[in-house]
Every structure is written in C-alpha cells, then in structure tokens.
Amino acid sequence: MRETTKRTMVLGMLVATALVTGAPTAEAQEVQAQAAPGQAAPATADGPRYSLSYAGRFVPATHDAVAMGLGAGPSLRLGMEGLFMEELGLGLVVHGDTRSATPFGNSMMLDWERTGVMAELDYGMRFFDERVRPAVRLGLGYMHHELDLYADGGTSNDWDNHFEGSAGSLAFTAQAVVDLTLLRSSTRAWAFGLYGAWGLAGHTSANFDAMEPVYEEGDRVERAPIDAGSAGALRLGGEIGFSLVWRP
C-alpha cells in the first residue's frame, strides 16, 4: 500500500508551521505592557487562540466492511478560535484511514485507503474559567481514494488478479465537540487539553470505473481494466485527541 497517511501528517505539520510563523509574537505584547508604567500586567492573554491537535478517529463496529464512513485513523487539525468573534472557531484538518475486507468467501480482497483535507467551522462558548468549551462543528472538504482489488485468491496468499484505481469525492462532518483545558501557564498564553467529538461523517460516491491491472514480474496474462462501481459513506462516529493551544 502507498504511504499516504505518512504524507498526510507531513502536510499537516507544514501547514501548522506556516501559520505559527506568520502569527504575532508574545514579545510584542510584553513591549506593549512595558509601555504603560504603573499598570499591572493582565492576568489573561488577549487575542485569538491558535491550536494544534492530534486525534484518533473511531467508528462503531459494523458488518458492513466496505462503506463504513470515515473510519478509524489519525487526524491532524490546525485551529483558530476568536479570530473574528469570540465564539467562532475555524479549522483545517487532514486525516486518513485504510479499510481492508475479504468478501465473497475470501475469493476477493480489497484495500481501500482514504485521505481527506477539510475546512471546519465551529461555534461554542467557554465556561468554568474558560476550561470547558462545548461547540457544534461543521466540515466540508475533499477526499482522495486509492483502491487495490485482488481476485481469485482462494484461501491462500497467491492472488492471481490485481487491479488498482483512484477517485475523488466530497467529504463532510457534522459533530458535537467538547474541549477541556487541563494545564495552562500562569499567563494563560499556553495550554494543554483534551477534546472529544461525536456525530455524522461521510463522503459522496467515489467512482472506480477504470481499475487498471497490475502485473507482477513474469506475469504474461494480459488483462483489461475493470469497472468496480462506486461507493459512498455516511456513518455515526467520533474522535478523541489532545491539543496544544497558544494565545500570542
């Protein structure tokens, strides 16, 4: 299988680095505080919050081994809260997962790898000294699919026919989120927390109508492309992760 998940994490880290580099620095706030002699420094930092989160996605068990929604896998999220209004949050998330199945009595095997990039919008308020934030989150983006299909394998590992194909679709989520702050600095400029989300996640149909044959060394049997059909997904699921928050 291709190392799409590894490339996904690298992409997310590059996006995070670009945003942090362009954000205002904490030293600029210290200079501003020193310019007002006789006044105590504020107990809390002002301005928007920037966060970098890592989470594991999960989907309840099901007998449907193929169209399972956005399944278990890692996600990397870059978020901003309070940029335009205090209750509003924006996010960019990259996630991936791989599904494997052997339908039809082990006479066929498929590996389905999905990588999604999604923009998110959430709305929520902070309570209990800003340590708890329930919110509602909506997301929309693009998902790339890569499918490997093996046929005529029987019960052995010798799969005679191998086809591969790729497709794209729209990805979407609608979730309830709870963000908990566990640790933070005395100035509240840095914080560490946990969050959980639960709701609908899925993607529109991905079409695999031109699966190309893959030839092994010494394979002399020529095969034509096949039409493997299309598949979409919509499932209830969630994610649990941790986040690092910076308020410059």
Side-chain angles (χ1 to χ4, degrees):
M1 288 299 296
R2 306 160 184 84
E3 298 183 354
T4 304
T5 302
K6 183 183 295 183
R7 297 196 301 270
T8 296
M9 297 298 104
V10 173
L11 175 62
M13 292 302 298
L14 290 176
V15 174
T17 303
L19 182 61
V20 171
T21 302
T25 63
E27 286 79 3
Q29 290 190 348
E30 293 177 0
V31 172
Q32 184 178 5
Q34 293 173 1
Q39 295 184 5
T44 60
D46 295 324
R49 300 169 184 256
Y50 298 88
S51 63
L52 181 63
S53 306
Y54 180 85
R57 305 172 63 90
F58 61 91
V59 175
T62 175
H63 294 295
D64 183 358
V66 181
M68 298 180 64
L70 306 188
S75 66
L76 185 67
R77 176 177 288 101
L78 183 67
M80 294 176 289
E81 180 189 338
L83 187 62
F84 301 109
M85 58 185 297
E86 185 178 357
E87 298 83 6
L88 189 65
L90 302 173
L92 177 66
V93 59
V94 182
H95 59 81
D97 71 271
T98 301
R99 288 297 184 194
S100 296
T102 54
F104 306 114
N106 292 329
S107 63
M108 181 180 296
M109 181 176 71
L110 61 87
D111 292 325
W112 187 2
E113 189 171 290
R114 297 174 286 191
T115 304
V117 179
M118 189 178 305
E120 297 178 334
L121 177 69
D122 67 67
Y123 183 88
M125 299 181 183
R126 291 194 171 270
F127 301 95
F128 305 108
D129 195 22
E130 298 189 338
R131 290 185 177 273
V132 180
R133 182 179 184 262
V136 176
R137 183 167 69 196
L138 299 176
L140 182 64
Y142 172 79
M143 176 161 286
H144 180 72
H145 305 255
E146 293 183 355
L147 180 64
D148 284 287
L149 181 64
Y150 304 83
D152 299 331
T155 58
S156 70
N157 294 323
D158 183 19
W159 300 92
D160 296 328
N161 297 309
H162 179 194
F163 297 86
E164 65 179 13
S166 61
S169 66
L170 290 177
F172 48 86
T173 57
Q175 298 174 318
V177 185
V178 176
D179 186 4
L180 303 176
T181 299
L182 301 182
L183 300 172
R184 62 190 179 193
S185 64
S186 58
T187 60
R188 301 191 183 185
W190 294 92
F192 174 80
L194 297 175
Y195 78 92
W198 178 262
L200 288 171
H203 58 80
T204 58
S205 292
N207 297 310
F208 300 99
D209 55 358
M211 299 279 290
E212 293 290 338
V214 178
Y215 296 101
E216 303 294 337
E217 185 177 355
D219 190 351
R220 303 187 180 202
V221 179
E222 185 173 352
R223 300 186 297 274
I226 64 171
D227 183 354
S230 62
L234 180 62
R235 284 293 311 277
L236 276 173
E239 59 184 79
I240 297 177
F242 59 87
S243 60
L244 183 64
V245 180
W246 176 42
R247 179 185 280 182

